[in-house]
Amino acid sequence: MSVRKREWVNRGFLHGPVLPIYGSGALIVLLCTISVRDQIGLIFLFGMVGATLLEYVTGACMERLFRVRYWDYSHLPLNVHGYICLPVSLGWGAFSVFLVQGIHVPVETLVLGIPDWMAEIVAVVCSSVFAVDFTLSFGEAMDLRDLLARLTDSNEKIHRLQKRLEVVSAFAEEGVLQYQARREARRLSRKEFLEGIMERQRENRRIMLVELMEKVNEYMEAGQEKREELQKVKAQIEQEWKNIGALTNRSARRSARLLHRNPNTVSKKYAEALKQVQEMLKKKK
């Protein structure tokens, strides 16, 4: 339940209604407080430290693997690299007391009362469902990483080509430097919203490359200065045109599902590409 949006929402890394970081946090709290279960102050302290360490390690490892953050505390006071912060750590401490003193005892009694054969069946079923969900979610996260990497790489190549062409154009005739023709991006009909997103991304990049190619041809026709350099730029533009096809609709759909479940996702390495995707997804709302 989202208190801010006042509606049921599916959040987190997985598809199912579970958040592994919270479940793992609860286990860490219970393990850290085994020897101090009768001392509320130590429960608060040990639980807070254990859960905070887990949150930091998990956040750092996930960002290193997927190149994005699924939570970010950079805007909160006393944060460490955006993975943890004092207000949330205090929340972990309060949760630890509530868990150990209030929730764990009746739940433990209930679980221990389940027959062994039934507990084994439930454990196998839940583990199987979790494994399938995790596999699918992991694949979506990798698709998102690859999509952002391709978009970032394409943006960087086009920006480099634009800058390189500006340098080369300085040697062309003055009349050619005044060439300002621009082509409007053609809006495509959308059968599916996400396919439309990727098609617009591909189309925008093609338009940028066409503009670059037109400038290169103009400069080559205007004179012989830097002709060899212009030929190299032209070859790079043609290669980037071929690479546009790597931005597939399937990976876009899978990535969008993951971003829908994690709207606060951020990325340092792919910040520009991630922002492009998030802004286009907002247009659907």
Side-chain angles (χ1 to χ4, degrees), residues 147 150 194 198 202 244-253:
L147 175 64
R150 291 191 182 113
L194 292 175
M198 292 313 300
R202 289 189 287 261
I244 289 176
L247 304 175
T248 63
N249 293 331
R250 180 176 179 274
S251 63
R253 289 193 297 269

Side-chain angles (χ1 to χ4, degrees), residues 9-184:
V9 292
N10 183 18
R11 289 287 184 263
F13 185 74
L14 302 180
H15 290 81
V18 292
L19 291 170
I21 185 64
Y22 292 158
S24 301
L27 290 176
I28 290 295
V29 168
L30 293 174
L31 290 174
C32 291
T33 58
I34 289 178
S35 60
V36 295
R37 289 187 177 179
D38 296 327
Q39 304 177 58
I40 293 180
L42 292 179
I43 291 175
F44 184 95
L45 178 62
F46 287 12
M48 178 183 70
V49 173
T52 299
L53 288 175
L54 172 68
E55 189 171 34
Y56 184 91
V57 172
T58 302
C61 290
M62 290 185 70
E63 183 174 16
R64 188 172 183 84
L65 178 61
F66 301 124
R67 302 301 181 184
V68 297
R69 293 186 182 188
Y70 291 99
W71 67 87
D72 184 27
Y73 301 143
S74 298
H75 62 289
L76 296 177
L78 300 175
N79 71 85
V80 180
H81 303 145
Y83 302 128
I84 58 176
C85 67
L86 182 59
V88 173
S89 294
L90 293 175
W92 277 117
F95 168 76
S96 300
V97 175
F98 181 61
L99 173 66
V100 175
Q101 295 288 311
I103 299 178
H104 180 61
V105 175
V107 170
E108 183 181 38
T109 302
L110 177 63
V111 171
L112 292 177
I114 300 175
D116 292 343
W117 64 270
M118 184 180 297
E120 291 179 359
I121 293 176
V122 172
V124 170
V125 172
C126 291
S127 298
S128 299
V129 172
F130 179 86
V132 172
D133 194 344
F134 179 82
T135 301
L136 293 174
S137 299
F138 185 87
E140 290 178 354
M142 296 303 289
D143 281 343
L144 175 60
R145 187 188 72 172
D146 292 342
L147 175 64
L148 296 178
R150 291 191 182 113
L151 287 174
T152 299
D153 183 63
S154 179
N155 288 339
E156 290 176 352
K157 287 182 178 178
I158 291 177
H159 291 161
R160 284 200 300 268
L161 287 170
Q162 288 175 327
K163 291 182 179 179
R164 189 173 181 182
L165 188 56
E166 289 175 1
V167 173
V168 175
S169 66
F171 295 90
E173 295 182 357
E174 183 177 353
V176 180
L177 291 174
Q178 303 302 320
Y179 178 75
Q180 299 294 336
R182 295 290 183 269
R183 179 179 297 179
E184 289 189 7

